[in-house]
């Protein structure tokens, strides 16, 4: 008989609620604000640039058209896109230099910038790394006339060092576009950090496992889901796939459990193939398959499947 139980162990997973914390605001409350109140609430989303919120939400007509977090971001991004070239360049120049270490260097950074750089541990560069960054950053500023910008909330110092090494070689036009893209990414992450969504607006996570060796769904495969915090895994749930290779009981995460962050599936493919007629090696080439993935949009459907044989696998973001 097909085993379809879903083992739920929420004692290991701190479940969030729909109530906003003091630093956040519910989306429904945000969208009930007047244009002036909304401008004031979101004036720090783009670094030292309150004009973005002012341009994005000029009147009640625009505010009343907003239904989602993506709507709010889309309107703000459009306001930047419609700005003059000089204003866009000024927006880039409002961003601080990364990898600040001395306390005096931290002056002028917004609270958001301090938090973002701290998360990436950019104050912990070695002398050699700091020297390389400083030299390359000076070269970058001299070439482009604005600071090196990178969304670092979920990055590491290695991400920063590799990115500046590559991007300093860009043409002005290509780097200007890349920098604006990073500005929008920073704004998006700030927006989702300050706005709490009602359950009805939240997305969900699904999975599907296909046995490419057998040409069929992978039924009865055990899967575990973890959330990663600073690389440390927190167990969420264990599942066993049904006859269609999908999770019993619907989405793995939904409602208030569906949060932005880094997650990891662990697929116990060795156990699965031992129950099939497919030949495998004595020491399985693939025993446990971990897939680490990020959820960036709390309103979206994330489908993270596995296509697997005893000797290879692939995944993608599906729908």
């Amino acid at each position: 008989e097909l085993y379809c139980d879903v083992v739920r162990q929420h004692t290991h997973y701190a479940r969030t609620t729909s109530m906003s914390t003091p630093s956040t605001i519910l989306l429904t409350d945000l969208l009930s604000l007047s244009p002036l109140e909304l401008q004031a609430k979101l004036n720090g989303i783009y670094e030292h640039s309150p004009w973005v919120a002012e341009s994005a939400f000029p009147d009640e007509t625009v505010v009343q058209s907003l239904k989602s977090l993506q709507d709010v971001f889309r309107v703000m991004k459009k306001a930047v896109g419609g700005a003059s070239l000089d204003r866009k360049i000024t927006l880039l120049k409002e961003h601080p230099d990364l990898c600040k270490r001395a306390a005096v260097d931290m002056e002028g950074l917004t609270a958001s910038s301090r938090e973002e750089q701290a998360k990436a541990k950019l104050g912990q560069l070695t002398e050699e790394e700091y020297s390389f960054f400083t030299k390359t950053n000076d070269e970058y500023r001299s070439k482009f006339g604005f600071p090196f910008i990178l969304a670092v909330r979920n990055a590491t110092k290695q991400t920063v060092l590799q990115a500046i090494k590559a991007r300093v070689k860009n043409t002005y036009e290509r780097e200007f576009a890349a920098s604006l893209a990073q500005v929008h990414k920073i704004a998006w992450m700030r927006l989702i950090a300050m706005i709490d969504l009602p359950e009805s607006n939240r997305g969900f996570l699904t999975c599907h496992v296909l046995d490419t060796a057998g040409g069929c769904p992978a039924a009865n495969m055990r899967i575990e889901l973890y959330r990663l915090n600073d690389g440390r895994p927190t167990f969420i749930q264990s599942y066993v796939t049904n006859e269609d290779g999908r999770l019993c009981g619907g989405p793995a995460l939904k409602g208030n459990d569906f949060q932005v962050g880094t997650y990891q599936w662990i697929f116990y493919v060795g156990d699965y193939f031992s129950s099939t007629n497919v030949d495998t090696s004595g020491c399985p080439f693939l025993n446990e398959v971990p897939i680490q993935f990020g959820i960036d949009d709390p309103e979206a459907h994330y489908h993270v499947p596995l296509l697997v044989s005893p000797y290879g696998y692939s995944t993608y973001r599906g729908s």
Side-chain angles (χ1 to χ4, degrees):
E1 181 178 350
L2 183 65
Y3 175 56
C4 281
D5 290 339
V6 177
V7 181
R8 300 181 184 275
Q9 299 187 30
H10 284 291
T11 54
H12 297 282
Y13 178 51
R15 197 177 211 181
T16 58
T17 70
S18 61
M19 295 180 63
S20 60
T21 64
S23 61
T24 65
I25 182 172
L26 285 167
L27 178 66
T28 48
D29 292 340
L30 182 81
L31 300 185
S32 68
L33 298 178
S34 69
L36 287 178
E37 291 171 329
L38 189 58
Q39 292 169 16
K41 189 68 179 176
L42 301 180
N43 65 9
I45 296 299
Y46 283 84
E47 188 85 2
H48 292 302
S49 301
W51 64 265
V52 177
E54 293 165 5
S55 301
F57 313 112
D59 52 48
E60 289 285 354
T61 302
V62 174
V63 174
Q64 290 173 3
S65 71
L66 305 173
K67 306 299 180 185
S68 67
L69 186 62
Q70 278 286 359
D71 286 346
V72 174
F73 178 62
R74 174 180 49 78
V75 172
M76 296 189 79
K77 186 176 180 181
K78 183 178 179 181
V80 174
S84 67
L85 177 60
D86 285 345
R87 204 162 207 185
K88 290 175 183 174
I89 292 174
T90 299
L91 173 60
L92 297 184
K93 290 181 177 180
E94 292 290 359
H95 283 260
D97 282 318
L98 296 178
C99 302
K100 296 295 189 182
R101 295 204 300 184
V104 65
D105 287 338
M106 300 297 285
E107 293 180 2
L109 268 66
T110 62
S112 294
S113 288
R114 289 172 185 264
E115 178 189 5
E116 288 155 3
Q117 296 204 28
K119 282 181 177 291
K121 297 180 173 59
L122 297 186
Q124 299 178 16
L125 297 178
T126 66
E127 289 298 330
E128 183 179 356
E129 291 167 339
Y130 189 66
S131 175
F132 167 79
F133 181 84
T134 301
K135 178 181 178 181
T136 311
N137 192 48
D138 288 345
E139 179 185 351
Y140 182 99
R141 270 190 170 275
S142 176
K143 180 176 181 178
F144 299 116
F146 48 80
F148 172 69
I149 301 170
L150 186 71
V152 297
R153 185 179 290 268
N154 296 312
T156 65
K157 65 178 184 178
Q158 286 78 18
T159 308
V160 175
L161 294 172
Q162 291 186 37
I164 194 171
K165 182 179 179 180
R167 284 172 50 189
V168 73
K169 301 173 185 177
N170 283 344
T171 63
Y172 183 90
E173 292 75 15
R174 184 172 183 177
E175 187 54 27
F176 181 80
S179 296
L180 270 183
Q182 291 296 320
V183 167
H184 290 310
K185 188 182 294 188
I186 292 167
W188 169 250
M189 290 191 286
R190 290 179 179 179
L191 199 60
I192 61 178
M194 73 171 293
I195 298 177
D196 191 21
L197 298 178
E199 190 164 344
S200 59
N201 277 70
R202 290 193 176 274
F204 53 98
L205 170 66
T206 56
C207 183
H208 190 199
V209 187
L210 297 175
D211 176 349
T212 57
C216 61
N220 264 346
M221 181 182 291
R222 181 163 59 99
I223 308 171
E224 292 178 347
L225 178 63
Y226 294 81
R227 176 162 180 153
L228 303 182
N229 296 293
D230 292 327
R232 296 187 298 272
T234 299
F235 177 76
I236 299 178
Q237 291 181 23
S238 178
Y239 315 83
V240 174
T241 56
N242 62 19
E243 292 178 341
D244 193 36
R246 300 180 188 275
L247 306 184
C248 299
L253 295 175
K254 61 181 178 180
N256 294 320
D257 283 339
F258 186 78
Q259 300 283 336
V260 168
T262 304
Y263 295 82
Q264 182 172 268
W265 292 121
I266 295 182
F267 298 88
Y268 290 88
V269 301
D271 295 344
Y272 165 77
F273 283 115
S274 71
S275 68
T276 69
N277 293 320
V278 177
D279 288 335
T280 59
S281 55
C283 181
F285 181 70
L286 294 177
N287 191 25
E288 299 174 7
V289 173
I291 294 180
Q292 189 176 129
F293 60 97
I295 292 176
D296 179 65
D297 184 350
E299 294 178 319
H301 172 199
Y302 279 73
H303 182 64
V304 187
L306 177 72
L307 287 73
V308 65
S309 78
Y311 299 100
Y313 66 91
S314 63
T315 189
Y316 56 91
R317 181 182 171 186
S319 59

